[in-house]
Amino acid sequence: MNTQSTAPARSKLFRQITDRLGQSGKLVVLTGAGVSAESGIPTFRGDDGFWTMGSRNYRPEELATWSTFAADPELVWPWYLYRLGRCREALPNAGHHALVEMDKLLGDRFLLVTQNVDGLHRLAGSPDARTFHIHGDLERMRCGRDCTQRTWPVPDGLRTFQRGDSIEARDGEYLHCPDCGAVARPHVLWFDESYDETWFRFYSSMAAAKSADVLLIVGTSGATNLPTQMVALARQNGALIVELNLERSAFTAHAEDSGGGLLIGPAGDSLPALLDTLSAPPEAT
Ligand code: OAD
């Protein structure tokens, strides 16, 4: 089993990455909620999961759906606006910053695919051109009736929501599509919806997985569809797969089968350490 946590094991795994990348290899990084955990944003499936509201516990699959929103937008909106407020209070951590530096180092040999809707990769400086937000973006909304493909920023005038706040009359004006007047919706992918290219970069993400020489998976449990397909495709195409996580995930076996493995530890430590290895002159590695 290729599960590592010691410093020599870490060096060996990182050296495998640099060897595989060489001078022209492509690094694709897939991130999940774990990369933002050290910024204080709870993960989805951890003990402090994001989905408890007031005295009621909602499973993500219950609340984060089009059908729940269509039936009761005023149940779903406060939750997203509360999450937005919480994410706006958070700052990128050393892991986010290391990924920005990797982007600068590798240029178009680097691509970041994130499941996170918290905006911290962008805030750290990851460029939109090389960052796919495959589950959307809490900072944006779009027409709930799909009258247009455009998305727009959450309006400045909308107040910050606390846990348990309800929609009030004064909020309503901000939560409508400016084009057709229908109720606006958060620009996120819900459980009863499908990935697409326009909003969620489905085909581009699959193409990236196919072209990856190294797929680095950071802080995700591996429970969603597009990441699962990406990992399978990368594996099929012979990519080296390395995982950074606190524990094993649904992707660990793929990483091990690829000749890579899991490095156990917080992303805020592992990513800067990997950056150091990638930045070191070849003779020093
Ligand atoms: P999960 O909450 O399912 O998994 C978080 C992962 O991060 C777990 O494997 C943790 O072990 C790991 N982790 C926690 N802290 C970490 C740290 N400091 N360093 C490294 N790893 C750490 O979150 P995701 O896998 O991101 O989708 O969830 C995927 C999707 O499921 C979300 O984007 C969301 C959710 O439903 C949608 O909203 C569409």
Side-chain angles (χ1 to χ4, degrees), residues 31-39 41-46 48-51 60-61 64 80 83 93 114-117 134-136 188-191 195 217-224 227 243-251 263-270:
T31 62
V35 81
S36 295
E38 290 156 82
S39 294
I41 299 180
T43 60
F44 287 88
R45 293 173 183 80
D48 53 356
F50 231 50
W51 302 95
E61 297 81 357
Y80 278 94
R83 288 182 64 188
N93 63 56
T114 186
Q115 298 169 82
N116 299 343
V117 294
I134 62 170
H135 289 168
V188 294
L189 180 68
W190 281 327
F191 281 93
Y195 291 97
I217 304 172
V218 189
T220 177
S221 61
T224 53
E243 188 182 17
L244 310 179
N245 202 314
L246 300 180
E247 60 187 20
R248 293 180 69 85
S249 78
F251 295 143
L263 175 65
I264 293 181
D269 290 346
S270 304

Side-chain angles (χ1 to χ4, degrees), residues 15 277 280-285:
R15 196 178 304 249
T277 306
E283 63 276 11
T285 59

